């Protein structure tokens, strides 16, 4: 009997794309597979782990331990671990969790499928060599229904002092524009109209391949593909920001007036220690330029508190900046010391967890008020929305200012006859916390 495979994806959307790469190969090899199933099918479980920061690593290890328990109860045959955690800590995982059957790195999708095919061939008594199909012959596959994540490059050449990602993913490697646009054309043909453009570092796109930043040109190419309704950009980097990208966002209706750009901090002392290669003044000027060039742009950012050496003054500066900058969307983390990073090697993690947590809470409190006020401004406006799902008495959708799973949602009473994945105009009539309530506009 051929294996039935359950794939569990931990971590970020970039990891999801890696799981999709694996699913393409399982599909080509004729395996039955399920992605993040409610219940496992009891044969092989592949867990695509996250190794970004402490909490994420712990979550992945806990999930592996759950699988080990299922296996020891005879409810699972094999556990296969892949992704960022096994890319970094393979030896430790092998020693600490010997119940894991196979371990792979972050990008070993083809090897994993070949190994399984060889195992199956052996079990069937004809141990002939098997070749897993290469990506070029595999159909575009995505696991998110009417929208898709498009990873335009892998790796990162930046050296942010706290970040382990370059240690996991290696140096920046851009996909060709042709390859990216072909994938998008195939997905449009499969009924996908919304594309989340992602990378470890979006704005570096093209420097390795075309010897210059090509993100603006790439987005313009994608915007020209018939059937592409929404393009949303994530993981931009502030230093050496390609200003032409703002023109492309402004001039193309199907490019969402949205940009996710991680700023991490604002005090020059901390920015320097983080090796972010940008100053407070340059950051403020960049935000002003964005709002001038793309009126109404929705800016999502990520901030970090508790970085080694962050003084109370530095933190107060960050709080005041957050009050002034009024980000539409903001995520925040407390610094987590990651092995072999510049910060782990050169700094002492000198800020206590209590202080980190207090600073995080104060920062999020400030942002909550700002977000609530900004959301309130949408009441009485008509917004184009896409419907993601039905949930009880509500249809749940998003505006162009909302990325799936991380931003706000729009709730429409389910007495309307709406279709999942379709666009509608909605009149926003009230807000509650992070949600908007609306009715379909005639
Ligand atoms: S740009 Fe992002 S992925 Fe690259 S080192 Fe900095 S934080 Fe990490």
């Amino acid at each position: 009997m051929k294996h039935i495979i359950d794939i569990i994806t931990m971590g970020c959307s970039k990891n999801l794309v890696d799981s999709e790469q694996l699913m393409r190969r399982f599909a080509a090899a004729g395996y039955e597979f399920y992605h993040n199933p409610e219940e496992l099918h009891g044969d092989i479980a592949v867990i695509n782990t996250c190794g970004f920061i402490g909490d994420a690593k712990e979550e992945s290890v806990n999930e592996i331990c759950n699988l080990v328990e299922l296996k020891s109860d005879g409810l699972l045959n094999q556990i296969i671990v892949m992704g960022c955690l096994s890319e970094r800590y393979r030896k430790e995982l092998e020693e600490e969790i010997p119940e894991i059957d196979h371990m792979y790195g972050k990008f070993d999708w083809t090897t994993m499928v070949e190994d399984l095919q060889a195992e199956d061939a052996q079990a069937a008594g004809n141990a002939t060599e098997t070749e897993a199909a290469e990506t070029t012959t595999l159909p575009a596959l995505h696991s998110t229904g009417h929208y898709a994540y498009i990873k335009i490059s892998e790796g990162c050449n930046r050296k942010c002092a706290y970040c382990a990602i370059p240690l996991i993913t290696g140096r920046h490697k851009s996909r060709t524009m042709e390859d990216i646009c072909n994938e998008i054309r195939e997905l449009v043909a499969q009924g996908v109209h919304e594309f989340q453009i992602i990378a470890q570092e979006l704005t570096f796109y093209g420097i390795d391949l075309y010897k210059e930043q090509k993100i603006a040109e790439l987005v313009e190419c994608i915007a020209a593909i018939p059937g592409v309704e929404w393009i949303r950009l994530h993981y931009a980097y502030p230093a050496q920001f390609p200003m032409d990208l703002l023109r492309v966002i402004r001039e193309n209706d199907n490019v969402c007036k949205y940009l996710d750009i991680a700023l991490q901090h604002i005090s020059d002392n901390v920015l320097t220690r983080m090796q972010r290669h940008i100053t407070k003044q340059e950051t403020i000027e960049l935000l002003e330029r964005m709002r001038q060039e793309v009126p109404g742009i929705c800016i999502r950012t990520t901030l970090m508190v508790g970085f080694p050496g962050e003084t109370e003054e530095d933190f107060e500066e960050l709080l005041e900046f957050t009050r002034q900058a009024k980000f539409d969307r903001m995520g925040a983390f407390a610094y987590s010391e990651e092995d072999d990073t510049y910060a782990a090697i050169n700094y002492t993690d000198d800020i206590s967890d209590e202080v980190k947590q207090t600073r995080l809470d104060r920062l999020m409190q400030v942002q909550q008020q700002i977000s609530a006020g900004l959301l309130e401004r949408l009441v009485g406006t008509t917004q184009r929305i896409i419907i993601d799902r039905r949930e009880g008495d509500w249809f749940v959708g998003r505006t162009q200012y909302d990325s799936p799973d991380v931003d706000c949602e729009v709730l429409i009473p389910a007495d309307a006859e709406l279709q999942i994945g379709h666009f509608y105009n909605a009149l926003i009539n009230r807000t509650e916390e992070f949600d908007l309530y609306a009715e379909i506009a005639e």
Side-chain angles (χ1 to χ4, degrees), residues 327-330 366-376 408 433-434:
F327 295 108
D328 305 272
R329 316 270 183 266
M330 189 260 266
V366 167
Q367 182 58 30
Q368 249 157 23
Q369 284 159 13
I370 291 168
S371 297
L374 293 173
L375 270 191
E376 201 54 48
C408 308
E433 269 222 300
F434 298 112

Side-chain angles (χ1 to χ4, degrees), residues 164-357:
I165 291 174
L167 303 171
I168 301 170
T169 60
R171 290 183 64 71
H172 189 104
K173 193 168 181 305
S174 302
R175 292 170 64 193
T176 65
M177 284 203 205
E178 190 205 359
D179 182 33
I180 295 166
C181 290
N182 286 344
E183 181 187 7
I184 289 176
R185 283 190 197 91
E186 275 191 60
L187 289 169
V188 167
Q190 293 175 18
V192 180
H193 301 291
E194 179 185 0
F195 297 92
Q196 326 296 342
I197 309 300
I198 63 173
Q200 303 298 354
E201 209 280 52
L202 187 88
T203 37
F204 203 91
Y205 177 76
I207 293 183
D208 57 318
L209 198 53
Y210 306 111
K211 307 300 168 232
E212 59 177 326
Q213 284 174 306
K214 284 276 195 180
I215 184 68
E217 193 177 323
L218 172 65
V219 175
E220 213 146 30
C221 289
I222 298 172
I225 297 173
V228 172
E229 296 276 344
W230 273 357
I231 302 162
R232 197 173 289 104
L233 306 177
H234 302 81
Y235 304 105
Y237 188 83
Q240 296 98 33
F241 186 87
M243 294 304 174
D244 195 30
L245 184 60
L246 300 176
R247 174 191 61 76
V248 173
I249 295 175
R250 182 182 65 245
E251 290 180 355
N252 292 276
D253 292 345
N254 58 356
V255 180
C256 297
K257 307 305 172 248
Y258 177 103
L259 186 67
D260 166 42
I261 180 164
L263 297 175
Q264 305 298 0
H265 214 285
I266 196 62
S267 109
D268 284 324
N269 166 42
V270 179
L271 287 171
T272 307
R273 292 171 67 80
M274 282 180 168
Q275 303 191 134
R276 292 286 289 176
H277 307 294
I278 192 167
T279 64
K280 173 173 183 171
Q281 193 49 38
E282 288 165 342
T283 303
I284 291 169
E285 284 165 10
L286 176 61
L287 290 175
E288 280 165 7
R289 176 88 181 260
M290 284 180 184
R291 287 171 168 156
Q292 263 159 25
E293 295 230 11
V294 189
I297 189 170
C298 174
I299 299 176
R300 159 174 270 282
T301 197
T302 306
L303 299 176
M304 183 189 287
V305 300
F307 188 76
E310 181 190 57
T311 63
E312 195 53 40
E313 292 70 37
D314 292 325
F315 175 66
E316 289 301 332
E317 206 177 334
L318 181 66
L319 267 191
E320 187 49 30
F321 168 65
T322 306
R323 289 191 193 96
Q324 301 301 326
K326 292 194 171 20
F327 295 108
D328 305 272
R329 316 270 183 266
M330 189 260 266
F333 295 91
Y335 171 72
S336 157
E337 186 176 86
E338 294 308 316
D339 301 336
D340 312 321
T341 57
Y342 180 89
I345 296 165
N346 296 286
Y347 304 142
T348 309
D349 187 3
D350 56 0
I351 300 180
S352 71
D353 290 349
E354 289 72 43
V355 172
K356 283 178 184 171
Q357 192 56 50

